[in-house]
Structure formats: structure tokens, C-alpha cells
Amino acid sequence: MTASNRVVLSSDHAAIPLRQAIAAHLARQDWVVVDIGPTTLESTHYPKHGEAAARRVASGDCRFGIILCGTGQGIMMAANKVKGIRCGVCADTFSARMIRRHNDANMLSIGARVVGEGLALDIVDAFLTADFEGGRHAARVDMITALEA
Ligand code: RB5
């Protein structure tokens, strides 16, 4: 059963301070933050962190995932290889809202070397407070899912 208020966070070494700022921001709201690290600034490999977060979402342990690397791109690519994951990189609040409304995204990726902390927190809020609109968008999301077969 999906815990509807659980959000998993992960990143590589390039995004640890921003990930921690997002964790603190969400903890001040009604979200239960599942921060799976890493915690040291030692260089690491973004695919394994993207995969680990994606598996928490795909398994239903967490409703949403927020992942970060330098650009947000590499870790997003890794997460999207996990079945059931729809993850978009966002550097603006409009896109963050729309990947929920139209694409039913269950993960958000942010580039810590692309956006500052204030904008990143707004992006996170835009993503987590928007709802999937269904309707004609559901058929398109189903077409994405069909590509996994
Ligand atoms: C690490 O230097 C960097 O390549 C990584 O954080 C990310 O930007 C990859 O997409």
C-alpha cells in the first residue's frame, strides 16, 4: 500500500546541500521524508542513487520521489529505466506543475548546479501540490506505460 505522504529523496555528491534543504523544507510540511542519502560529499555515481529512489516509488513504499544531481539529467535518465517511473527534470515551476497534471509524473529531478535553493523549493512545492488531470491525458500516460512491455 502506498504511503501517500511519503517522499523519497536521493542525489549524488553534487546536490547534497540542496537535497538537505529540500528535506528540511518538506519536513516542515505534512510530508514524511525518506532521505536515502548519500550523506558524504565523496564523489559517487548518480545511476545507483536514481535507481534506489525509483525502486522506493515503483514498489509503493513512497508516493513520490525527488532526485538531484548536477544537472538533474543523468539521475533522471537512470530513474526512468525503472518500470513504472515517470520522472522529469524541472528548472521552472510551470513544468513542475504540468508533469503532474498531464504526465502523472511520480518523480521530479532537479539540477543543483542549475537552479538556486529558493527556486528549487518552489519547484518542489509546485510538483507536490499539483494533481493529475486524467481524461485525455490518461490515455497518453497509458501509451508511455505500454512502452515498458
Ligand atoms: C557529476 O559531476 C555530474 O556529472 C552529475 O552530478 C550529473 O550532472 C550528471 O548528470
Side-chain angles (χ1 to χ4, degrees):
M1 187 73 173
T2 297
S4 60
N5 64 341
R6 283 165 64 86
V7 181
V8 60
L9 299 187
S10 193
S11 74
D12 72 359
H13 55 280
I16 289 175
L18 182 55
R19 194 189 80 231
Q20 290 172 338
I22 291 170
H25 177 71
L26 293 180
R28 288 191 290 271
Q29 305 179 26
D30 286 337
W31 296 104
V32 173
V33 176
V34 181
D35 189 340
I36 59 171
T39 53
T40 72
L41 293 172
E42 193 181 335
S43 183
T44 183
H45 305 302
Y46 59 80
K48 65 181 182 182
H49 302 293
E51 181 196 354
R55 295 214 180 277
R56 294 290 188 118
V57 175
S59 71
D61 178 45
C62 294
R63 174 64 185 92
F64 294 115
I66 298 175
I67 52 179
L68 308 95
C69 63
T71 60
Q73 302 289 350
I75 201 163
M76 173 275 289
M77 292 176 196
N80 274 322
K81 295 294 183 188
V82 174
K83 199 169 180 179
I85 295 304
R86 289 178 299 281
C87 181
V89 180
C90 293
D92 64 275
T93 55
F94 177 78
S95 300
R97 240 182 335 268
M98 295 310 285
I99 64 170
R100 286 287 308 124
R101 287 184 183 172
H102 285 192
N103 313 120
D104 199 17
N106 47 18
M107 293 188 71
L108 166 70
S109 184
I110 298 175
R113 294 173 178 159
V114 180
V115 299
E117 182 179 314
L119 177 55
L121 298 184
D122 281 353
I123 288 169
V124 165
D125 287 343
F127 176 79
L128 291 175
T129 58
D131 293 319
F132 181 48
E133 290 176 2
R136 69 184 190 280
H137 304 295
R140 296 165 185 165
V141 172
D142 287 347
M143 291 171 74
I144 296 174
T145 303
L147 295 171
E148 295 176 340

